Amino acid sequence: MKKQIQRISAVALFAASGAIAQEKLPQLGKDPIEKVIAAMTDDEKASFLMGTGMPGYEGITPTPGKNEGPIPGAAGLTYEIKRLGIPAIVLADGPAGLRIKPIRENDSKTYYCTAFPVGTALASTWNLPLIESVGKAMGQETKEYGVDVLLAPALNIHRNPLCGRNFEYYSEDPVVAGKTAAAVVNGIESNGVGTSVKHFAANNQEDNRLGVNAHVSERAMREIYLRGFETVVKESQPWTIMSSYNLVDGVYTSARKDLLTDILRDEWGYKGMVMTDWFGGFDGFETITKGSSDVVAQIAAGNDLLMPGIPAQKAALLEAMKSGKLSKADVDRNIKRNLELVLESPTMKKYKFSNTPNLKANAQITRDAAAEGIVLLKNDKNALPYTAKDKSISVFGVTSYNFISGGTGSGNVNEAYTISLLDGLNNAGYKIDGDLKTAYVPYVKKFDAEEVARKEKEGVMFLANRLTELEISADVLAKKATETEVAIITIGRNAGEGADRKVDNDFNLAADETKLLDAVTQAFHAKGKKVIVILNIGGVIETVSWKDKVDAILLAWQPGQEGGNSVADVFSGKVNPSGKLTMTWPVKYADTPSAKNFPGTPANKPKDVTYEEGVYVGYRYFNTFDVKTSYEFGFGKSYTTFEYSNLKLDTKQFYDHVTVSITVKNTGKTDGKEVVEFYLSAPNKSIDKPKFELKAFAKTKSLKPGESQTLTATIRAKDLASFLESKSAWVAEKGEYVVSVGASSTDIRQKATFTLAKELTVEKTHKSFALSSPINELRASK
């Protein structure tokens, strides 16, 4: 919604329907949208402030025979007012690609969508143009399948590695999260369809997600949990933003004026509309049939659309409008924003969608993006790339034969196929041991059929089970160690909305996985042969207890439908890995700064969670407090090496901005790309601060051996500042600032300094997020 002129002129489309004569519209104000609003009845207004329910569902239960709407599998519709020429527009999930129903009754056609790499995989590329190209492909499918708004991207912070939806989210760092999400939005919306940036805000867990009350300081909210959303708003102006389920200090985010109006609109300049998450404002799905959410508070706060909408909410809206509890000004303001959304939509513009997006081209896009997001965690003695295609490979692990393309829930995609690791290796010309394939395939197929049947029954709230590893006898292992040249073990994990992960048998390896890993490594190492682990996972797992046992580790994430081909591209050396971690991998779960207060209390159904770690999330904690990690934020190896040199600042005295430049040279023997990370350390006399924070990043082109490239980054005033609650302002302290440029958060290659002569108040803000009781926040200095 970037063109006000286009919005206003489009209002004529309402009258053009012939349903209402132009001369009968009240002549109120200069904005034609106001004329349409004035022509609405109260009943129509109440209906237009909410959706029309979940198509194909009764509440949250899949209901055969229930009207599925114009696009089966879509998440919801806005309200149609035929007499005013206002159509219903279609909203559908999700973050890894469009999620609609692929098979329809009495229809021989199929409607499969591309499963793109999950959020963690996409962000691990650190390649914004590539990420935008993925967004463009997502948007093209969205438009050609008749959907107006894609309910994506999701950019909540990785506060804790157990969050069930971390696979959808990008990072523990708001710069990475915000820049990645902005690229996705710009790509999707370049097609003339909308996005819904979610979940705004502090939605960092799944356990009791509708009813958990997050206690967060204003500083932590603004510096960590809101900063990425601010970047998206300012760099992409998304059509819509989705408020989150949770409460923040006793008030639902969908009913917080400080969040949805004071900050989002007044401070950041947001121009679009806000919708709730599905059934946002209810204290648990079980309460949906017992009444309404607080619609007065939600509408007044600036939450424009209640999704998916239930009859009790309409009744509450009508009563509040009649009694005056809900002002006409608030109602009409929100309706105007919803109308502006409808006006921008392909449906309003009568776009004739084809139902034939370019799935073949998009498959190549997802293959390339997934390969660039793969992170090489270990590569002892150049175990990779592996190029001996004339010798057989032993492929172990159930996930090798049933690759996980993406997570569950609304972040899932109904794709036509998934290339397994086995498929990818075969396609790349490798010889795969047949005996192991004969043992694994039927075992995996039986389990997969059971999971598909359960998924059909449970719908969007389906959570995947883990298949126990197949036991391989010592005799078979000895035989394979003799007959084949190398072993691959794939470890898989899946998660999704509705539940958080667990420490045992999830973050930590299960006993059957450890047994397999130990047995394979012992057998193959006894023959002088190597073992390579592929991690087909959506989030962080424990690695310290086993990583020294294997020769190489490829972190493939959940890489979308072409995942097996993407892994084979890196495995073979066709693609040099250039992905880097966007989150810290701790030595053990207990080292995570939020571990002691996640998911909150009581543990079985948390009602309250306190963010005692404050701003010390991820590397901000580990680096400041010198806590050892398994793999640090920003880490990722390559098949080549890079040298950093010639760090320059365009000024030693800060006035408005500082431009940083550094030269990167490929000093190895293989073409490759390098991610460069720009960190800033600030004076900390007035407020406690992390050791340093990421302020920018850049990625080289593919550099040939011996080739160099100079990369630049700009550090602006707000990058220097911390949020001071006492002043309701972003303040940069006077003194010396250190720019650290590195290949990871601990692999700093060069440093330079500049000075700010006097304290600078960068931005004044509204006082927000008042706490009912103080938080004993973690501090680096006492």
Side-chain angles (χ1 to χ4, degrees):
M1 298 213 289
K2 303 171 180 67
K3 297 181 180 178
Q4 181 73 12
I5 294 174
Q6 186 178 1
R7 279 207 300 267
I8 298 302
S9 63
V11 178
L13 291 172
F14 290 136
S17 68
I20 183 166
Q22 181 71 36
E23 62 271 13
K24 291 184 179 180
L25 289 173
Q27 302 300 308
L28 297 176
K30 295 181 180 180
D31 187 347
I33 287 183
E34 292 181 10
K35 301 173 184 178
V36 178
I37 296 171
M40 288 183 177
T41 66
D42 281 354
D43 189 85
E44 287 169 336
K45 287 183 177 182
S47 297
F48 200 65
L49 290 171
M50 49 185 272
T52 59
M54 283 181 69
Y57 280 70
E58 198 68 57
I60 60 167
T61 305
T63 308
K66 179 84 172 177
N67 180 18
E68 292 188 305
I71 311 296
L77 300 165
T78 62
Y79 185 70
E80 179 183 22
I81 307 177
K82 286 185 178 180
R83 73 178 189 89
L84 296 179
I86 303 171
I89 65 170
V90 181
L91 294 71
D93 299 315
L98 181 65
R99 187 174 69 89
I100 57 174
K101 203 169 183 179
I103 306 293
R104 301 177 185 176
E105 290 185 14
N106 304 314
D107 189 343
S108 60
K109 296 179 182 178
T110 58
Y111 302 84
Y112 289 107
C113 300
T114 302
F116 294 93
V118 298
T120 45
L122 205 57
S124 295
T125 68
W126 301 67
N127 185 334
L128 298 180
L130 176 68
I131 293 166
E132 186 167 339
S133 74
V134 171
K136 286 180 180 178
M138 288 182 180
Q140 189 251 355
E141 292 190 15
T142 300
K143 190 171 187 178
E144 292 308 321
Y145 275 135
V147 173
D148 298 285
V149 177
L150 185 66
L151 302 173
L155 68 148
N156 293 104
I157 292 294
H158 288 208
R159 174 178 179 249
N160 187 284
L162 299 186
C163 175
R165 294 180 80 172
N166 274 354
F167 73 94
E168 294 184 44
Y169 309 147
Y170 300 126
S171 180
E172 68 189 22
D173 181 80
V175 171
V176 176
K179 292 287 187 179
T180 302
V184 172
V185 170
N186 287 331
I188 294 170
E189 294 195 352
S190 68
N191 293 274
V193 295
T195 58
S196 193
V197 176
K198 60 187 185 182
H199 309 87
F200 192 58
N203 186 154
N204 303 300
Q205 64 190 76
E206 288 300 293
D207 286 347
N208 195 29
R209 57 183 175 152
L210 273 75
V212 70
N213 184 16
H215 301 274
V216 195
S217 70
E218 184 175 8
R219 182 190 178 196
M221 281 291 285
R222 287 184 178 272
E223 290 192 16
I224 305 296
Y225 300 103
L226 299 185
R227 196 69 187 272
F229 287 96
E230 179 181 4
T231 298
V232 178
V233 168
K234 292 181 175 179
E235 295 189 4
S236 63
Q237 275 292 345
W239 287 18
T240 86
I241 285 177
M242 184 187 293
S243 56
S244 58
Y245 282 132
N246 54 286
L247 302 89
V248 172
D249 208 66
V251 180
Y252 281 105
T253 60
S254 60
R256 290 202 71 114
K257 181 178 177 294
D258 55 0
L259 180 66
L260 303 184
T261 296
D262 298 346
I263 294 173
L264 179 61
R265 298 184 184 282
D266 296 346
E267 293 180 17
W268 299 350
Y270 180 58
K271 304 300 183 186
M273 58 82 73
V274 176
M275 69 178 77
T276 64
D277 201 342
W278 268 229
F279 306 106
F282 287 90
D283 185 18
F285 289 122
E286 67 278 4
T287 68
I288 293 167
T289 59
K290 298 177 182 179
S292 173
S293 60
D294 188 348
V295 297
V296 173
Q298 290 172 307
I299 298 300
N303 201 113
D304 306 300
L305 183 65
L306 308 174
M307 291 301 295
I310 62 171
Q313 287 175 311
K314 181 177 178 180
L317 283 167
L318 284 170
E319 191 280 327
M321 290 163 66
K322 183 178 179 180
S323 68
K325 291 179 182 177
L326 192 54
S327 74
K328 181 177 182 298
D330 285 345
V331 169
D332 289 357
R333 175 200 63 201
N334 292 18
I335 286 175
K336 181 179 180 180
R337 293 171 185 159
N338 294 346
L339 281 171
E340 288 172 346
L341 172 66
V342 172
L343 281 167
E344 283 294 300
S345 68
T347 294
M348 186 72 209
K349 296 175 181 177
K350 303 187 185 306
Y351 179 74
K352 297 188 183 299
F353 56 90
S354 66
N355 279 325
T356 56
N358 196 339
L359 297 180
K360 184 176 181 181
N362 292 348
Q364 187 63 49
I365 290 171
T366 189
R367 176 174 178 168
D368 294 344
E372 188 147 338
I374 290 174
V375 183
L376 180 62
L377 294 178
K378 182 177 182 179
N379 195 24
D380 281 1
K381 298 179 181 177
N382 297 320
L384 292 172
Y386 183 78
T387 58
K389 295 185 179 181
D390 58 332
K391 299 176 181 178
S392 290
I393 299 173
S394 285
V395 179
F396 297 94
V398 292
T399 311
S400 295
Y401 299 83
N402 191 23
F403 226 49
I404 303 165
S405 62
T408 62
S410 59
N412 182 39
V413 179
N414 296 313
E415 68 269 37
Y417 63 87
T418 296
I419 301 294
S420 71
L421 177 64
L422 197 71
D423 298 331
L425 293 172
N426 277 323
N427 292 341
Y430 289 98
K431 293 182 179 179
I432 307 301
D433 180 79
D435 293 339
L436 290 173
K437 181 179 177 181
T438 299
Y440 272 105
V441 168
Y443 180 68
V444 168
K445 277 189 174 180
K446 180 176 181 296
F447 172 79
D448 197 39
E450 293 169 352
E451 288 288 274
V452 168
R454 191 166 63 83
K455 184 177 178 181
E456 283 290 320
K457 182 179 179 182
E458 296 179 13
V460 72
M461 300 309 294
F462 164 83
L463 289 165
N465 289 326
R466 188 185 71 84
L467 176 59
T468 302
E469 286 296 344
L470 187 65
E471 283 207 40
I472 308 295
S473 71
D475 289 343
V476 169
L477 283 171
K479 184 169 183 276
K480 294 306 156 192
T482 300
E483 294 177 347
T484 64
E485 193 63 22
V486 68
I488 293 175
I489 305 173
T490 303
I491 295 171
R493 289 290 183 274
N494 210 347
E497 66 177 302
D500 290 314
R501 297 170 57 202
K502 306 300 181 187
V503 176
D504 295 337
N505 303 322
D506 192 345
F507 181 83
N508 295 336
L509 294 192
D512 54 287
E513 293 171 317
T514 300
K515 182 179 179 181
L516 175 68
L517 197 146
D518 287 345
V520 172
T521 53
Q522 288 169 14
F524 276 74
H525 286 168
K527 296 292 184 179
K529 296 175 180 178
K530 294 177 179 178
V531 178
I532 297 160
V533 169
I534 310 292
L535 297 179
N536 180 202
I537 60 183
V540 177
I541 65 170
E542 185 274 332
T543 54
V544 169
S545 67
W546 58 269
K547 67 181 183 179
D548 290 341
K549 301 174 184 177
V550 302
D551 301 283
I553 305 172
L554 270 183
L555 172 57
W557 299 113
Q558 292 166 346
Q561 68 185 49
E562 287 283 328
N565 286 333
S566 302
V567 173
D569 288 343
V570 173
F571 183 84
S572 66
K574 179 181 177 182
V575 173
N576 187 348
S578 63
K580 292 193 177 184
L581 298 177
T582 62
M583 74 297 289
T584 304
W585 287 46
V587 170
K588 57 184 182 299
Y589 173 70
D591 290 342
T592 303
S594 61
K596 69 177 183 178
N597 49 49
F598 182 93
T601 56
N604 62 327
K605 188 178 181 181
K607 297 295 292 182
D608 292 276
V609 58
T610 302
Y611 288 34
E612 292 182 356
E613 69 280 3
V615 298
Y616 291 102
V617 177
Y619 73 88
R620 286 169 168 82
Y621 168 76
F622 288 95
N623 289 5
T624 304
F625 291 87
D626 295 321
V627 178
K628 187 179 178 181
T629 64
S630 181
Y631 297 109
E632 74 272 15
F633 175 87
F635 175 83
K637 298 175 75 68
S638 172
Y639 295 155
T640 190
T641 55
F642 297 96
E643 176 185 271
Y644 291 50
S645 65
N646 203 25
L647 174 62
K648 292 181 180 179
L649 308 182
D650 68 342
T651 179
K652 286 290 187 176
Q653 186 71 44
F654 187 91
Y655 296 102
D656 178 67
H657 68 275
V658 172
T659 299
V660 185
S661 64
I662 190 147
T663 300
V664 179
K665 181 180 180 180
N666 183 346
T667 54
K669 299 178 180 180
T670 305
D671 293 4
K673 301 177 183 179
E674 172 72 339
V675 174
V676 177
E677 302 155 36
F678 298 83
Y679 297 91
L680 186 67
S681 302
N684 61 352
K685 292 179 181 178
S686 66
I687 189 170
D688 193 64
K689 294 176 185 175
K691 181 178 180 180
F692 54 62
E693 297 176 294
L694 184 78
K695 297 301 178 182
F697 59 87
K699 192 168 191 175
T700 68
K701 65 180 182 179
S702 182
L703 298 175
K704 297 182 182 302
E707 187 178 7
S708 299
Q709 182 181 357
T710 298
L711 301 175
T712 62
T714 301
I715 296 175
R716 304 192 185 278
K718 197 166 182 179
D719 296 323
L720 276 60
S722 294
F723 186 78
L724 270 62
E725 295 178 11
S726 61
K727 296 184 178 182
S728 290
W730 290 87
V731 177
E733 289 189 53
K734 71 175 183 179
E736 185 178 78
Y737 289 76
V738 181
V739 177
S740 300
V741 183
S744 79
S745 59
T746 62
D747 183 9
I748 301 301
R749 303 294 180 88
Q750 294 208 316
K751 294 182 179 182
T753 63
F754 64 86
T755 302
L756 180 65
K758 62 179 182 178
E759 181 177 283
L760 177 64
T761 298
V762 178
E763 181 182 319
K764 294 287 290 182
T765 67
H766 297 80
K767 182 65 180 173
S768 306
F769 309 114
L771 294 170
S772 55
S773 58
I775 298 173
N776 184 24
E777 280 190 320
L778 180 64
R779 291 176 57 85
S781 57
K782 301 298 182 184

